[in-house]
Each structure stands twice: as C-alpha cells, then as structure tokens.
Amino acid sequence: MTKDDRRLRPVDLARLAGVSTQQIRNYEDAGVLPPAARTASGYRAFGDVHRRALLAYRTMLRGYGPVTATRIMRTLHGGDTAGALALVDAAHAALHEERVSLRAASEALELLALEPPAPLPRSGGLRIGEVAALLGVRTSALRVWETAGLLTPSRERGTGYRTYTPADVRDARLVHTLRRSHYLFDQIRPVLEDLRREGSTEALRTAITTRGQSLTTRTRGMIEGAGALHAYLDACLDRLTATPGSTADAPPRAADD
C-alpha cells in the first residue's frame, strides 16, 4: 500500500491539524472534506485526498476566513470547480475594493483634516436636516452618531433644535467618510477627539495605517491559501469523485469514529 492509498482514521487527521476528532467529522458533514468511505462496520475511512483537503482548508482560513473557505471547499466537493474558483475571485475582488476604499478615505480624510472648517451657507449654524442634505445622509444617521458621542452639536435656547457649527459639519463629514470605509465607532472616536484637542491628524493616520496593515496581512493569507488550493486541485481533482479505501475489507477500529 502506497502512502497515497493508506487509510486514515479521524484521529489521524485530527492530530495532523491540531483539532478534535469531532471537528474532523464536522468538516466532512460541512463539505470541507470530500465524503469518506465507510468500512463494513460503519467506520469512516479517510485517505490522502482528505489529508490534502484538510491542509488546504486550514491554510485558506488565514486569508479567506471560515465562512468563505468553507463555501469554497463545499462548492468544490459538490462537483462545481468553476463555482468554487468564482468564490475565490469574488473574495479577492472584495479585498481589492476595501483597499481602494481605504486609499480614497485616506486622501479625503487628509484633506478634510488639514482644511479649516468651511464657512456655512448662512450664519447661526445649520439645522440637522440641512447637514443631512449637505452630506447626503439621513437625519437618523446624524442622531445615531450623536448618541455614540461622535458629534456634539449645541441646542438652541427655547426650541431645543440642534445647531451645527462649521467644526460640527467637518466632524460629520469625517464620520460619514470613515463609516463608508467600514470603520467602527470606537475607531472613529479617537480620530475626532485628537482633531478637536490638537487639530492633529496623527490618530487619523494611525487608524488608516492599522487598517492598511490588516489588509496586507489578509492579502498575504489569501495568496498562501490560493496556493494551497491550487496544489490540492492539481493533485486531487481527478480523485474527488472517488473515495479511498474499501467499505468491505477494513477491520473495525475502537472508538476512533
């Protein structure tokens, strides 16, 4: 029996990946691994194709994440190789869009942060509806940002209406730009606080740099994962419809399944 033909137990794959035997069963049930053969006693009989699938999937996790990596492997093992590769393409395209968005946000935020607050269309400040129209957002978004402590417009005496100064409008522009780039409130708050306190863009640059580093890490993870998937396909594509091992001649194994 060659190395590629030898039968593997769930515990063998579990040790290889550093996971539990139950996780190996879950992987097969989810389609991450191709269907395993069964012995006459009903035990799972894995083989080299499963070992390669497991290693490819575990490598893909680093860049694609569990949801996308699982969809790719499940689609592949469902017999739709083109569909699986389309999911890979979509993941890379989405990452590219994030990088483009980050670059655009960086340029826009630098300009907004360095420019003094623009004069308002009229004196006395703007009402919430006017600011919403200026930014192209709903008034409810401005209220949510205020509740989160990102905006602090003053209130008119008597009416209680919100009044937005030029600095408030600048802050709202910054929040709007950052939210479109998928920044969380907790990531936006230090940027605004730093700008208000010192007029510095240091927090802004730090946030953008951190996100850029995260995207670079994901890109490298995707490249590594795509390479592992390619190696798996190159070695096993013609074997994915065949299950290694026999369902008739393998002896029972004690509590490994």
Side-chain angles (χ1 to χ4, degrees):
M1 179 180 294
T2 67
K3 178 181 178 182
D4 287 353
D5 292 332
R6 70 188 181 93
R7 194 170 292 118
L8 298 171
R9 303 166 298 170
V11 67
D12 297 323
L13 293 182
R15 289 169 179 165
L16 178 67
V19 298
S20 67
T21 54
Q22 182 57 52
Q23 187 64 63
I24 296 299
R25 300 184 192 102
N26 292 343
Y27 282 162
E28 185 195 0
D29 293 340
V32 168
L33 303 180
R38 293 280 181 165
T39 69
S41 301
Y43 290 101
R44 289 176 173 86
F46 294 109
D48 187 63
V49 66
H50 300 92
R51 180 185 67 83
R52 291 177 181 270
L54 177 63
L55 293 176
Y57 174 74
R58 298 289 294 182
T59 303
M60 290 171 63
L61 286 176
R62 302 166 195 164
Y64 294 93
V67 175
T68 299
T70 297
R71 288 184 63 198
I72 291 170
M73 297 300 282
R74 183 170 60 236
T75 302
L76 177 64
H77 295 144
D80 186 2
T81 302
L85 296 179
L87 291 173
V88 173
D89 292 341
H92 284 264
L95 185 64
H96 172 70
E97 288 301 319
E98 285 191 54
R99 194 177 293 281
V100 170
S101 176
L102 181 65
R103 187 181 304 118
S106 176
E107 295 172 359
L109 287 171
E110 287 292 339
L111 289 174
L112 284 171
L114 294 175
E115 289 180 353
L120 300 183
R122 59 178 175 80
S123 61
L126 298 181
R127 298 278 177 82
I128 189 171
E130 295 172 312
V131 177
L134 191 64
L135 270 61
V137 301
R138 296 180 178 180
T139 56
S140 59
L142 293 171
R143 293 190 183 95
V144 169
W145 300 344
E146 182 180 346
T147 300
L150 303 178
L151 302 180
T152 56
S154 58
R155 297 274 186 163
E156 286 185 354
R157 292 183 179 179
T159 65
Y161 291 145
R162 293 172 177 83
T163 302
Y164 291 79
T165 65
D168 293 327
V169 175
R170 179 207 62 187
D171 290 351
R173 286 184 184 277
L174 288 170
V175 174
H176 182 43
T177 303
L178 286 167
R179 288 297 291 162
R180 285 188 299 178
S181 295
H182 309 294
Y183 283 92
L184 303 176
F185 288 162
D186 287 343
Q187 296 169 320
I188 297 173
R189 192 173 291 108
V191 177
L192 294 172
E193 290 174 350
D194 197 48
L195 286 173
R196 291 167 184 161
R197 183 175 59 254
E198 300 177 6
S200 168
T201 59
E202 191 59 36
L204 179 149
R205 292 193 185 95
T206 299
I208 290 176
T209 298
T210 299
R211 188 165 180 82
Q213 292 171 342
S214 175
L215 291 180
T216 297
T217 299
R218 285 174 56 197
T219 298
R220 295 186 63 177
M222 282 187 173
I223 292 173
E224 185 181 13
L229 180 64
H230 176 268
Y232 173 53
L233 286 171
D234 194 47
C236 301
L237 182 59
D238 60 342
R239 301 165 55 195
L240 292 178
T241 56
T243 306
S246 168
T247 60
D249 58 1
R253 297 185 184 275
D256 283 329
D257 196 55

